[in-house]
Amino acid sequence: MSQQHPPVPPAEVAAEQRHRPVLVIDYGAQYAQLIARRVREADAYSEVVPSTASVAEILAKDPAAVILSGGPSSVYADGAPQVDPALFDAGVPVLGICYGFQAMASALGGTVAQTGLREYGGTALRARPEGSTLLDGQPAEQDVWMSHGDSVSAAPEGFTVTARSAGADVAAFEDDERRLYGVQWHPEVAHSTHGQRVLENFLRRGAGLAGDWTAGSIIEEQVELVRAQVGTGRVICGLSGGVDSAVAAALVQKAVGDQLTCVFVDHGLLRAGEAEQVERDFVAATGVNLVVWDATEAFLTALAGVTEPEAKRKAIGREFIRAFEAASRQVVERARAADGDDGEVRFLVQGTLYPDVVESGGGQGAATIKSHHNVGGLPDDLQFELVEPLRALFKDEVRAVGAELGLPAEIVGRQPFPGPGLGIRIIGEVTRERLDVLRAADLIAREELSAAGLDGEIWQCPVVLLAEVRSVGVQGDGRTYGHPVVLRPVSSEDAMTADWTRLPYDVLARISTRITNEVAEVNRVVLDVTSKPPGTIEWE
Protein backbone atom coordinates (compact mmCIF):
# COMPACT_ATOMS: atom_id res chain seq x y z
CA MET A 1 0.00 0.00 0.00
CA SER A 2 1.44 3.39 -0.94
CA GLN A 3 2.11 5.79 1.91
CA GLN A 4 0.13 9.04 1.76
CA HIS A 5 0.75 11.62 4.46
CA PRO A 6 -2.52 12.96 5.92
CA PRO A 7 -2.73 16.70 5.39
CA VAL A 8 -1.90 18.96 8.31
CA PRO A 9 -5.23 20.48 9.42
CA PRO A 10 -5.79 24.17 8.73
CA ALA A 11 -5.37 26.61 11.64
CA GLU A 12 -9.07 26.82 12.43
CA VAL A 13 -9.36 23.03 12.69
CA ALA A 14 -6.19 22.74 14.77
CA ALA A 15 -7.54 25.38 17.14
CA GLU A 16 -10.54 23.20 17.88
CA GLN A 17 -8.15 20.42 18.94
CA ARG A 18 -6.22 22.56 21.45
CA HIS A 19 -5.65 20.72 24.69
CA ARG A 20 -7.65 17.68 23.81
CA PRO A 21 -5.58 14.97 25.51
CA VAL A 22 -3.23 12.48 23.98
CA LEU A 23 -4.13 9.43 26.07
CA VAL A 24 -1.36 7.00 27.04
CA ILE A 25 -2.97 3.64 27.77
CA ASP A 26 -0.84 1.97 30.45
CA TYR A 27 -0.36 -1.77 29.95
CA GLY A 28 1.89 -2.07 32.98
CA ALA A 29 4.90 -0.39 31.40
CA GLN A 30 7.70 1.05 33.46
CA TYR A 31 7.80 3.89 30.92
CA ALA A 32 4.13 4.93 30.68
CA GLN A 33 4.78 8.14 32.63
CA LEU A 34 7.82 8.82 30.47
CA ILE A 35 5.77 8.50 27.28
CA ALA A 36 3.37 11.09 28.67
CA ARG A 37 6.27 13.41 29.45
CA ARG A 38 7.74 13.02 25.96
CA VAL A 39 4.37 13.89 24.44
CA ARG A 40 4.30 17.06 26.53
CA GLU A 41 7.83 17.90 25.43
CA ALA A 42 6.36 17.89 21.93
CA ASP A 43 3.91 20.58 23.14
CA ALA A 44 0.86 18.33 23.27
CA TYR A 45 -1.19 17.66 26.41
CA SER A 46 -1.15 14.04 27.64
CA GLU A 47 -2.80 11.89 30.30
CA VAL A 48 -2.13 8.33 31.45
CA VAL A 49 -5.14 6.02 31.75
CA PRO A 50 -5.27 2.34 32.81
CA SER A 51 -5.61 -0.49 30.31
CA THR A 52 -8.90 -1.41 31.99
CA ALA A 53 -10.55 1.70 30.53
CA SER A 54 -13.22 0.76 28.01
CA VAL A 55 -13.37 2.25 24.52
CA ALA A 56 -16.41 4.25 25.62
CA GLU A 57 -14.47 5.66 28.58
CA ILE A 58 -11.52 6.48 26.34
CA LEU A 59 -13.66 8.23 23.75
CA ALA A 60 -15.53 10.12 26.46
CA LYS A 61 -12.28 12.02 27.08
CA ASP A 62 -12.38 13.22 23.46
CA PRO A 63 -8.75 12.25 22.79
CA ALA A 64 -6.75 13.90 20.04
CA ALA A 65 -4.72 10.69 19.80
CA VAL A 66 -4.06 7.47 21.70
CA ILE A 67 -0.73 5.79 22.48
CA LEU A 68 -0.67 2.16 23.61
CA SER A 69 2.25 1.65 26.00
CA GLY A 70 4.58 -1.28 26.44
CA GLY A 71 4.06 -3.90 29.12
CA PRO A 72 5.44 -7.15 30.55
CA SER A 73 2.78 -9.52 29.19
CA SER A 74 2.57 -11.75 26.13
CA VAL A 75 -0.51 -10.97 24.05
CA TYR A 76 -1.49 -14.64 23.84
CA ALA A 77 -1.03 -15.37 27.57
CA ASP A 78 -4.09 -16.01 29.75
CA GLY A 79 -5.25 -12.80 31.36
CA ALA A 80 -3.02 -10.56 29.24
CA PRO A 81 -4.57 -7.13 28.62
CA GLN A 82 -6.02 -6.79 25.14
CA VAL A 83 -7.06 -3.91 22.93
CA ASP A 84 -10.70 -3.69 21.93
CA PRO A 85 -10.67 -3.58 18.09
CA ALA A 86 -13.45 -0.98 18.31
CA LEU A 87 -10.80 1.56 19.28
CA PHE A 88 -9.32 1.35 15.80
CA ASP A 89 -12.69 2.07 14.16
CA ALA A 90 -13.26 5.25 16.18
CA GLY A 91 -11.29 7.52 13.85
CA VAL A 92 -8.74 8.43 16.54
CA PRO A 93 -5.04 8.28 15.57
CA VAL A 94 -3.32 5.44 17.48
CA LEU A 95 0.36 4.60 18.05
CA GLY A 96 1.33 1.24 19.53
CA ILE A 97 4.65 0.88 21.35
CA CYS A 98 6.26 -2.50 22.17
CA TYR A 99 3.46 -4.52 23.82
CA GLY A 100 0.96 -1.96 22.54
CA PHE A 101 2.34 -2.55 19.03
CA GLN A 102 1.84 -6.30 19.39
CA ALA A 103 -1.62 -5.91 20.94
CA MET A 104 -2.62 -3.66 18.03
CA ALA A 105 -1.31 -6.18 15.49
CA SER A 106 -3.15 -9.04 17.18
CA ALA A 107 -6.44 -7.13 17.45
CA LEU A 108 -6.32 -6.17 13.77
CA GLY A 109 -5.63 -9.69 12.46
CA GLY A 110 -1.83 -9.68 12.32
CA THR A 111 0.34 -12.44 13.76
CA VAL A 112 2.30 -12.23 17.01
CA ALA A 113 4.56 -15.15 17.85
CA GLN A 114 7.34 -16.20 20.18
CA THR A 115 10.03 -16.51 17.51
CA GLY A 116 12.92 -17.22 19.87
CA LEU A 117 14.69 -14.08 18.62
CA ARG A 118 14.49 -11.91 21.71
CA GLU A 119 15.93 -8.40 21.76
CA TYR A 120 16.80 -6.46 24.91
CA GLY A 121 18.70 -3.19 25.07
CA GLY A 122 20.44 -1.38 22.23
CA THR A 123 19.48 -2.79 18.83
CA ALA A 124 20.36 -1.89 15.25
CA LEU A 125 17.29 -0.96 13.22
CA ARG A 126 16.89 -0.95 9.44
CA ALA A 127 14.28 1.67 8.62
CA ARG A 128 12.49 2.72 5.44
CA PRO A 129 12.03 6.46 5.96
CA GLU A 130 11.00 7.18 2.35
CA GLY A 131 7.30 7.97 2.35
CA SER A 132 6.98 7.02 6.03
CA THR A 133 4.98 9.15 8.46
CA LEU A 134 6.77 7.97 11.61
CA LEU A 135 10.29 7.68 10.24
CA ASP A 136 10.38 10.76 8.05
CA GLY A 137 13.62 12.72 8.37
CA GLN A 138 15.52 9.84 9.98
CA PRO A 139 18.41 7.68 8.76
CA ALA A 140 17.84 4.20 7.40
CA GLU A 141 20.28 2.76 9.96
CA GLN A 142 19.70 3.78 13.57
CA ASP A 143 20.03 2.53 17.13
CA VAL A 144 16.88 1.86 19.15
CA TRP A 145 16.05 0.40 22.54
CA MET A 146 14.22 -2.92 22.40
CA SER A 147 12.67 -5.03 25.15
CA HIS A 148 10.68 -7.92 23.71
CA GLY A 149 10.52 -11.69 23.58
CA ASP A 150 7.52 -11.90 21.25
CA SER A 151 7.50 -10.40 17.75
CA VAL A 152 5.00 -9.36 15.11
CA SER A 153 5.68 -11.84 12.31
CA ALA A 154 2.93 -10.65 9.97
CA ALA A 155 1.42 -7.16 9.79
CA PRO A 156 -2.35 -6.75 9.63
CA GLU A 157 -3.98 -6.21 6.26
CA GLY A 158 -3.64 -2.64 5.01
CA PHE A 159 -0.39 -1.90 6.89
CA THR A 160 3.00 -1.19 5.36
CA VAL A 161 6.08 -2.50 7.17
CA THR A 162 8.55 0.38 7.58
CA ALA A 163 11.33 -1.10 9.76
CA ARG A 164 13.05 -4.37 10.59
CA SER A 165 15.65 -5.61 13.04
CA ALA A 166 17.56 -8.86 13.46
CA GLY A 167 14.94 -10.16 15.88
CA ALA A 168 11.82 -8.59 14.35
CA ASP A 169 10.89 -8.83 10.68
CA VAL A 170 8.07 -6.40 11.47
CA ALA A 171 9.55 -3.74 13.74
CA ALA A 172 7.23 -0.92 12.61
CA PHE A 173 4.12 -0.57 10.49
CA GLU A 174 1.79 2.19 9.31
CA ASP A 175 -1.69 2.62 7.89
CA ASP A 176 -2.03 6.30 7.02
CA GLU A 177 -5.57 5.90 5.73
CA ARG A 178 -6.80 4.90 9.20
CA ARG A 179 -4.02 6.85 11.00
CA LEU A 180 -2.79 3.73 12.80
CA TYR A 181 0.91 3.27 13.57
CA GLY A 182 3.16 1.01 15.62
CA VAL A 183 6.80 0.43 16.59
CA GLN A 184 8.40 -2.49 18.41
CA TRP A 185 11.03 -0.32 20.11
CA HIS A 186 10.75 2.30 22.86
CA PRO A 187 10.97 5.77 21.25
CA GLU A 188 10.41 7.44 24.62
CA VAL A 189 13.80 6.47 26.08
CA ALA A 190 17.00 8.40 25.38
CA HIS A 191 18.73 5.23 24.12
CA SER A 192 16.55 5.35 20.97
CA THR A 193 18.55 7.96 19.10
CA HIS A 194 15.64 9.30 17.02
CA GLY A 195 12.85 8.37 19.41
CA GLN A 196 11.54 11.86 20.06
CA ARG A 197 11.32 12.47 16.32
CA VAL A 198 9.18 9.33 16.00
CA LEU A 199 6.75 10.64 18.62
CA GLU A 200 6.70 14.12 17.12
CA ASN A 201 6.05 12.69 13.66
CA PHE A 202 3.12 10.72 15.03
CA LEU A 203 1.68 13.75 16.81
CA ARG A 204 2.23 16.26 14.00
CA ARG A 205 2.01 14.23 10.80
CA GLY A 206 -0.09 11.28 11.93
CA ALA A 207 -2.51 12.99 14.32
CA GLY A 208 -2.29 16.50 12.86
CA LEU A 209 -1.74 18.23 16.21
CA ALA A 210 -0.57 21.82 16.17
CA GLY A 211 1.84 21.51 19.11
CA ASP A 212 0.49 24.54 20.94
CA TRP A 213 0.33 23.25 24.51
CA THR A 214 2.85 25.68 26.02
CA ALA A 215 3.34 27.55 29.29
CA GLY A 216 1.43 30.48 27.87
CA SER A 217 -1.51 28.37 26.73
CA ILE A 218 -1.60 26.54 30.09
CA ILE A 219 -1.92 29.90 31.84
CA GLU A 220 -4.70 31.05 29.50
CA GLU A 221 -6.63 27.84 30.01
CA GLN A 222 -6.24 27.76 33.79
CA VAL A 223 -7.14 31.42 34.20
CA GLU A 224 -10.40 30.75 32.38
CA LEU A 225 -11.10 27.62 34.44
CA VAL A 226 -10.35 29.34 37.75
CA ARG A 227 -12.58 32.27 36.90
CA ALA A 228 -15.38 29.91 35.90
CA GLN A 229 -15.02 27.92 39.15
CA VAL A 230 -14.59 30.82 41.57
CA GLY A 231 -16.84 33.49 40.09
CA THR A 232 -16.95 36.35 42.57
CA GLY A 233 -16.10 34.18 45.58
CA ARG A 234 -13.22 34.71 47.97
CA VAL A 235 -10.20 32.41 47.72
CA ILE A 236 -7.46 31.51 50.18
CA CYS A 237 -4.10 29.85 49.53
CA GLY A 238 -1.59 28.38 51.95
CA LEU A 239 1.90 29.40 50.83
CA SER A 240 4.58 26.93 51.88
CA GLY A 241 7.59 28.72 50.46
CA GLY A 242 7.88 26.14 47.69
CA VAL A 243 7.58 26.37 43.92
CA ASP A 244 4.21 24.62 43.68
CA SER A 245 2.19 26.79 46.06
CA ALA A 246 3.88 29.95 44.75
CA VAL A 247 3.03 29.21 41.11
CA ALA A 248 -0.51 28.07 41.99
CA ALA A 249 -1.07 31.28 43.95
CA ALA A 250 0.36 33.47 41.18
CA LEU A 251 -1.88 31.76 38.63
CA VAL A 252 -5.00 32.25 40.75
CA GLN A 253 -3.95 35.84 41.50
CA LYS A 254 -3.81 36.47 37.74
CA ALA A 255 -7.30 35.00 37.40
CA VAL A 256 -9.16 36.66 40.28
CA GLY A 257 -6.88 39.36 41.68
CA ASP A 258 -7.82 40.68 45.12
CA GLN A 259 -10.34 37.89 45.64
CA LEU A 260 -7.29 35.84 46.70
CA THR A 261 -5.59 36.07 50.09
CA CYS A 262 -2.46 34.01 50.75
CA VAL A 263 -1.66 32.66 54.21
CA PHE A 264 1.91 31.83 55.10
CA VAL A 265 2.02 29.56 58.14
CA ASP A 266 5.56 29.79 59.48
CA HIS A 267 5.91 26.42 61.18
CA GLY A 268 9.57 26.89 61.99
CA LEU A 269 10.53 23.91 59.79
CA LEU A 270 11.80 25.85 56.78
CA ARG A 271 15.39 26.20 55.66
CA ALA A 272 17.49 29.28 56.35
CA GLY A 273 16.14 32.42 54.63
CA GLU A 274 13.02 30.84 53.15
CA ALA A 275 10.44 32.55 55.35
CA GLU A 276 11.93 35.91 54.45
CA GLN A 277 11.86 34.99 50.75
CA VAL A 278 8.12 34.35 50.88
CA GLU A 279 7.35 37.58 52.73
CA ARG A 280 9.62 39.74 50.56
CA ASP A 281 10.16 38.35 47.07
CA PHE A 282 6.81 36.69 46.39
CA VAL A 283 4.75 39.66 47.53
CA ALA A 284 6.95 42.03 45.51
CA ALA A 285 6.50 39.90 42.36
CA THR A 286 2.74 39.37 42.60
CA GLY A 287 1.30 42.10 44.84
CA VAL A 288 -0.75 39.40 46.57
CA ASN A 289 -2.53 39.97 49.88
CA LEU A 290 -0.47 38.03 52.44
CA VAL A 291 -1.22 37.05 56.03
CA VAL A 292 1.78 35.69 58.00
CA TRP A 293 0.99 33.35 60.89
CA ASP A 294 3.87 32.41 63.20
CA ALA A 295 3.08 28.98 64.63
CA THR A 296 6.59 27.78 65.46
CA GLU A 297 5.91 27.10 69.13
CA ALA A 298 2.72 25.19 68.41
CA PHE A 299 4.48 22.91 65.89
CA LEU A 300 7.40 22.19 68.22
CA THR A 301 4.95 21.31 70.99
CA ALA A 302 3.02 18.97 68.68
CA LEU A 303 6.24 17.24 67.59
CA ALA A 304 7.69 16.79 71.07
CA GLY A 305 8.47 13.11 71.64
CA VAL A 306 7.30 12.06 68.14
CA THR A 307 9.84 9.92 66.25
CA GLU A 308 7.87 7.66 63.87
CA PRO A 309 7.92 9.14 60.32
CA GLU A 310 4.24 8.85 59.44
CA ALA A 311 3.24 10.09 62.90
CA LYS A 312 5.41 13.16 62.30
CA ARG A 313 3.76 13.87 58.97
CA LYS A 314 0.30 13.54 60.48
CA ALA A 315 1.20 15.73 63.47
CA ILE A 316 2.56 18.41 61.14
CA GLY A 317 -0.53 18.10 58.94
CA ARG A 318 -2.91 18.42 61.90
CA GLU A 319 -1.07 21.42 63.30
CA PHE A 320 -0.97 23.08 59.91
CA ILE A 321 -4.74 22.74 59.57
CA ARG A 322 -5.23 24.30 63.01
CA ALA A 323 -2.92 27.19 62.22
CA PHE A 324 -4.42 27.64 58.78
CA GLU A 325 -7.94 27.70 60.21
CA ALA A 326 -6.91 30.32 62.75
CA ALA A 327 -5.34 32.44 60.03
CA SER A 328 -8.41 31.94 57.84
CA ARG A 329 -10.62 33.35 60.58
CA GLN A 330 -8.44 36.44 60.56
CA VAL A 331 -8.90 36.71 56.78
CA VAL A 332 -12.69 36.52 57.21
CA GLU A 333 -12.66 39.14 59.95
CA ARG A 334 -10.61 41.49 57.80
CA ALA A 335 -12.96 40.98 54.86
CA ARG A 336 -16.00 41.71 57.03
CA ALA A 337 -14.42 44.87 58.34
CA ALA A 338 -13.43 46.05 54.88
CA ASP A 339 -16.51 45.10 52.85
CA GLY A 340 -19.27 44.82 55.40
CA ASP A 341 -20.47 41.40 54.18
CA ASP A 342 -20.16 37.94 55.76
CA GLY A 343 -16.53 37.63 54.57
CA GLU A 344 -17.01 33.94 53.71
CA VAL A 345 -14.06 32.21 52.02
CA ARG A 346 -15.31 29.31 49.89
CA PHE A 347 -12.25 28.25 47.91
CA LEU A 348 -8.84 26.87 48.86
CA VAL A 349 -5.91 26.84 46.41
CA GLN A 350 -3.59 23.85 46.50
CA GLY A 351 -0.34 23.34 44.59
CA THR A 352 -1.08 19.67 43.89
CA LEU A 353 0.98 18.16 41.06
CA TYR A 354 0.48 15.00 39.03
CA PRO A 355 3.19 13.00 40.89
CA ASP A 356 1.50 13.98 44.19
CA VAL A 357 -1.71 12.34 42.99
CA VAL A 358 0.04 9.15 41.88
CA GLU A 359 2.14 8.74 45.04
CA SER A 360 -0.90 9.29 47.24
CA GLY A 361 -2.80 6.47 45.56
CA GLY A 362 -4.79 8.70 43.25
CA GLY A 363 -4.42 6.45 40.22
CA GLN A 364 -5.90 3.01 39.69
CA GLY A 365 -3.59 0.40 41.14
CA ALA A 366 -1.28 2.98 42.70
CA ALA A 367 -0.03 2.17 46.18
CA THR A 368 0.06 4.91 48.80
CA ILE A 369 3.78 5.43 49.35
CA LYS A 370 3.25 8.17 51.91
CA SER A 371 0.51 10.54 52.98
CA HIS A 372 1.20 13.66 50.96
CA HIS A 373 1.04 17.17 52.29
CA ASN A 374 -1.14 18.27 49.36
CA VAL A 375 -3.38 15.28 48.72
CA GLY A 376 -3.58 13.04 51.76
CA GLY A 377 -3.44 15.47 54.65
CA LEU A 378 -6.74 17.34 54.47
CA PRO A 379 -9.48 16.76 57.06
CA ASP A 380 -12.69 14.97 56.13
CA ASP A 381 -14.79 17.96 57.21
CA LEU A 382 -12.93 20.44 55.00
CA GLN A 383 -15.25 23.37 54.37
CA PHE A 384 -13.45 24.68 51.28
CA GLU A 385 -13.87 23.80 47.63
CA LEU A 386 -10.45 22.97 46.23
CA VAL A 387 -8.87 24.93 43.38
CA GLU A 388 -5.96 22.95 41.93
CA PRO A 389 -4.64 24.65 38.78
CA LEU A 390 -1.43 22.56 38.64
CA ARG A 391 -2.91 19.11 39.25
CA ALA A 392 -2.10 17.81 35.76
CA LEU A 393 1.46 19.19 35.60
CA PHE A 394 4.94 17.86 36.24
CA LYS A 395 7.45 19.96 38.17
CA ASP A 396 9.37 21.26 35.15
CA GLU A 397 6.09 22.39 33.60
CA VAL A 398 5.23 24.23 36.81
CA ARG A 399 8.57 26.04 36.67
CA ALA A 400 7.92 27.06 33.06
CA VAL A 401 4.50 28.43 34.03
CA GLY A 402 6.04 30.31 36.96
CA ALA A 403 8.66 31.90 34.73
CA GLU A 404 5.96 32.89 32.24
CA LEU A 405 4.03 34.51 35.09
CA GLY A 406 7.09 36.59 35.97
CA LEU A 407 8.02 35.01 39.30
CA PRO A 408 11.63 35.59 40.42
CA ALA A 409 14.22 32.99 39.41
CA GLU A 410 14.96 32.40 43.12
CA ILE A 411 11.41 31.10 43.55
CA VAL A 412 10.91 29.34 40.19
CA GLY A 413 14.30 27.63 40.38
CA ARG A 414 14.00 26.61 44.00
CA GLN A 415 14.67 22.95 44.67
CA PRO A 416 11.63 20.85 45.60
CA PHE A 417 11.02 20.92 49.34
CA PRO A 418 8.52 18.76 51.24
CA GLY A 419 5.50 20.35 52.89
CA PRO A 420 6.48 18.96 56.33
CA GLY A 421 9.82 20.70 55.86
CA LEU A 422 12.87 19.86 57.92
CA GLY A 423 10.64 17.92 60.28
CA ILE A 424 11.03 14.84 58.06
CA ARG A 425 14.75 15.40 57.49
CA ILE A 426 15.51 14.87 61.17
CA ILE A 427 15.61 11.16 61.99
CA GLY A 428 14.28 11.17 65.51
CA GLU A 429 12.51 13.76 67.62
CA VAL A 430 12.28 17.28 66.21
CA THR A 431 13.57 19.96 68.59
CA ARG A 432 14.54 23.58 68.18
CA GLU A 433 18.22 22.73 68.72
CA ARG A 434 18.20 19.96 66.13
CA LEU A 435 16.46 22.23 63.62
CA ASP A 436 19.19 24.83 64.11
CA VAL A 437 21.87 22.18 63.48
CA LEU A 438 20.19 20.90 60.33
CA ARG A 439 19.48 24.41 59.02
CA ALA A 440 23.17 25.30 59.34
CA ALA A 441 24.35 22.13 57.57
CA ASP A 442 21.72 22.47 54.84
CA LEU A 443 22.70 26.09 54.16
CA ILE A 444 26.35 25.12 53.70
CA ALA A 445 25.44 22.37 51.23
CA ARG A 446 23.25 24.75 49.21
CA GLU A 447 25.91 27.46 49.18
CA GLU A 448 28.60 25.10 47.91
CA LEU A 449 26.39 23.53 45.25
CA SER A 450 25.43 26.98 43.99
CA ALA A 451 29.05 28.18 44.04
CA ALA A 452 30.03 25.14 41.94
CA GLY A 453 27.29 25.90 39.39
CA LEU A 454 25.51 22.61 40.07
CA ASP A 455 22.02 23.89 40.88
CA GLY A 456 20.81 23.07 37.38
CA GLU A 457 22.28 19.57 37.37
CA ILE A 458 20.55 18.17 40.44
CA TRP A 459 16.86 17.82 41.20
CA GLN A 460 17.43 18.47 44.87
CA CYS A 461 19.88 17.67 47.65
CA PRO A 462 18.15 16.88 50.94
CA VAL A 463 20.44 17.06 53.96
CA VAL A 464 19.34 14.61 56.66
CA LEU A 465 20.29 14.80 60.34
CA LEU A 466 20.61 11.40 62.03
CA ALA A 467 19.61 12.83 65.37
CA GLU A 468 19.31 9.46 67.13
CA VAL A 469 22.75 8.35 65.93
CA ARG A 470 26.12 9.45 67.28
CA SER A 471 29.57 8.62 65.98
CA VAL A 472 33.05 9.05 67.38
CA GLY A 473 35.19 11.74 65.79
CA VAL A 474 38.35 13.75 66.34
CA GLN A 475 38.08 17.52 66.19
CA GLY A 476 40.96 19.65 67.40
CA ASP A 477 42.93 17.59 69.90
CA GLY A 478 40.00 15.75 71.41
CA ARG A 479 37.51 13.02 70.72
CA THR A 480 33.95 14.02 69.89
CA TYR A 481 30.69 12.16 69.96
CA GLY A 482 28.61 14.00 67.38
CA HIS A 483 25.82 13.46 64.89
CA PRO A 484 26.23 12.35 61.26
CA VAL A 485 24.45 14.17 58.45
CA VAL A 486 23.57 12.56 55.12
CA LEU A 487 23.82 14.26 51.74
CA ARG A 488 21.16 13.00 49.33
CA PRO A 489 21.82 14.59 45.91
CA VAL A 490 19.39 13.22 43.34
CA SER A 491 18.67 13.71 39.65
CA SER A 492 15.15 13.29 38.32
CA GLU A 493 12.69 14.66 35.78
CA ASP A 494 9.54 14.45 37.89
CA ALA A 495 10.39 12.67 41.18
CA MET A 496 8.56 9.50 40.09
CA THR A 497 11.97 7.88 39.68
CA ALA A 498 15.41 9.28 40.58
CA ASP A 499 19.08 8.44 40.63
CA TRP A 500 21.77 9.78 42.93
CA THR A 501 23.81 12.57 41.38
CA ARG A 502 27.52 11.96 40.86
CA LEU A 503 28.79 15.20 42.40
CA PRO A 504 32.46 16.11 41.88
CA TYR A 505 34.66 14.88 44.71
CA ASP A 506 36.09 18.33 45.35
CA VAL A 507 32.58 19.74 45.89
CA LEU A 508 31.73 16.92 48.28
CA ALA A 509 35.00 17.55 50.11
CA ARG A 510 34.26 21.25 50.54
CA ILE A 511 30.75 20.54 51.82
CA SER A 512 32.04 17.96 54.30
CA THR A 513 34.89 20.16 55.52
CA ARG A 514 32.70 23.19 56.04
CA ILE A 515 29.94 21.30 57.84
CA THR A 516 32.30 19.53 60.25
CA ASN A 517 34.22 22.76 60.86
CA GLU A 518 31.29 25.16 61.18
CA VAL A 519 28.53 23.02 62.73
CA ALA A 520 29.89 21.93 66.09
CA GLU A 521 27.33 19.20 66.69
CA VAL A 522 28.21 17.34 63.45
CA ASN A 523 31.41 15.31 63.10
CA ARG A 524 30.63 13.08 60.11
CA VAL A 525 29.16 13.63 56.61
CA VAL A 526 28.01 10.64 54.55
CA LEU A 527 26.66 10.29 50.99
CA ASP A 528 23.44 8.44 50.08
CA VAL A 529 23.95 6.58 46.77
CA THR A 530 20.54 4.89 46.54
CA SER A 531 18.29 5.30 43.49
CA LYS A 532 14.49 5.58 43.59
CA PRO A 533 13.33 2.86 43.63
CA PRO A 534 14.21 1.17 45.93
CA GLY A 535 14.70 4.23 48.15
CA THR A 536 12.47 7.29 48.24
CA ILE A 537 13.97 10.75 47.82
CA GLU A 538 13.21 11.75 51.40
CA TRP A 539 14.31 9.50 54.26
CA GLU A 540 10.98 9.82 56.07
Side-chain angles (χ1 to χ4, degrees), residues 73-77 80-83 98-116 148-156 167-168 170 173 184:
S73 302
S74 295
V75 293
Y76 48 76
Q82 303 295 329
V83 183
C98 195
Y99 178 84
F101 168 64
Q102 296 173 5
M104 173 189 284
S106 177
L108 290 169
T111 303
V112 180
Q114 197 167 43
T115 62
H148 69 101
D150 301 339
S151 297
V152 177
S153 56
V170 182
F173 56 42
Q184 180 60 70

Side-chain angles (χ1 to χ4, degrees), residues 499-521:
D499 193 14
W500 65 280
T501 308
R502 276 66 168 173
L503 295 178
Y505 289 155
D506 59 335
V507 175
L508 290 171
R510 285 197 298 273
I511 293 173
S512 177
T513 298
R514 282 195 60 193
I515 289 176
T516 53
N517 283 350
E518 299 174 30
V519 185
E521 297 84 355

